[in-house]
Amino acid sequence: MSNYKLIEPSDWPTIRDTLPPAEFLWDPMIPARAKVITHSAPSVGKSAFSWGVMNAIEAGEPYLGLPTKQGRCLLISNDMTEHMFKMRWAKNFEPRFPFIMIPKSDISSDFFAQSDGRKFIYDFVRERKIDLVCIDTLGGLCMGKSMSSDETAT
């Protein structure tokens, strides 16, 4: 049996009207229960942008003029240690979200999928009812790039 479903244009209004309204954590940029990848050239501010969005969602405050729905966020960082966070954040940024540092770990590997680290993260997300998980450097890892590559995504 196929997972494909053909929808004729004439059927769309009926189908659309039976669906629940779309929900957003950051309206209209980050839908609830969705996967979103931020990708750009190195060092243009993907991480800082993500931290700002997560802080706004945690507080239920607008971000860049767009409304957020208050929710719980988690940052998983694959390339920064606490010393690097201190250097980047200094005293100018205070996270409202918890973060997990897994430096130099390929979380897209089969090894990680079977690890205690993955179980810890899944349990944490479930227990804390996390609405948004941001994995910093995931895009580069999924594209086969190493942690030291200069082109990764958040």
Side-chain angles (χ1 to χ4, degrees), residues 13-29:
T14 302
I15 293 169
R16 177 196 60 218
D17 293 345
T18 62
L19 296 172
E23 293 181 52
F24 291 90
L25 293 172
W26 184 38
D27 195 358
M29 302 299 192

Side-chain angles (χ1 to χ4, degrees), residues 2-137:
S2 172
N3 288 331
Y4 299 108
K5 181 178 182 179
L6 173 66
I7 298 174
E8 296 290 348
S10 59
D11 295 334
W12 175 242
T14 302
I15 293 169
R16 177 196 60 218
D17 293 345
T18 62
L19 296 172
E23 293 181 52
F24 291 90
L25 293 172
W26 184 38
D27 195 358
M29 302 299 192
I30 301 178
R33 297 172 301 282
K35 295 172 182 74
V36 178
I37 295 177
T38 304
H39 181 76
S40 70
S43 300
V44 298
K46 295 177 296 294
S47 294
F49 168 78
S50 298
W51 303 332
V53 169
M54 290 190 297
N55 261 6
I57 291 170
E58 283 278 343
E61 298 171 349
Y63 187 67
L64 300 177
L66 298 173
T68 65
K69 176 184 173 189
Q70 189 169 19
R72 307 216 43 184
C73 301
L74 170 66
L75 170 66
I76 300 172
S77 177
N78 280 122
D79 63 351
M80 290 178 58
T81 65
E82 57 268 305
H83 299 289
M84 295 171 82
F85 278 111
K86 180 179 179 179
M87 181 180 68
R88 297 263 321 259
W89 291 346
K91 294 186 179 185
N92 302 317
F93 181 83
E94 289 290 330
R96 295 175 177 154
F97 50 84
F99 55 102
I100 299 172
M101 295 172 293
I102 313 173
K104 296 183 170 66
S105 176
D106 183 351
I107 64 170
S108 65
S109 72
D110 290 336
F111 176 77
F112 187 82
Q114 306 301 319
S115 72
D116 290 340
R118 180 184 181 276
K119 181 180 180 336
F120 172 78
I121 291 168
Y122 271 72
D123 290 346
F124 184 89
V125 167
R126 187 181 63 255
E127 290 166 10
R128 297 276 188 106
K129 296 179 172 61
I130 300 293
D131 300 296
L132 176 64
V133 177
C134 176
I135 305 172
D136 206 346
T137 73

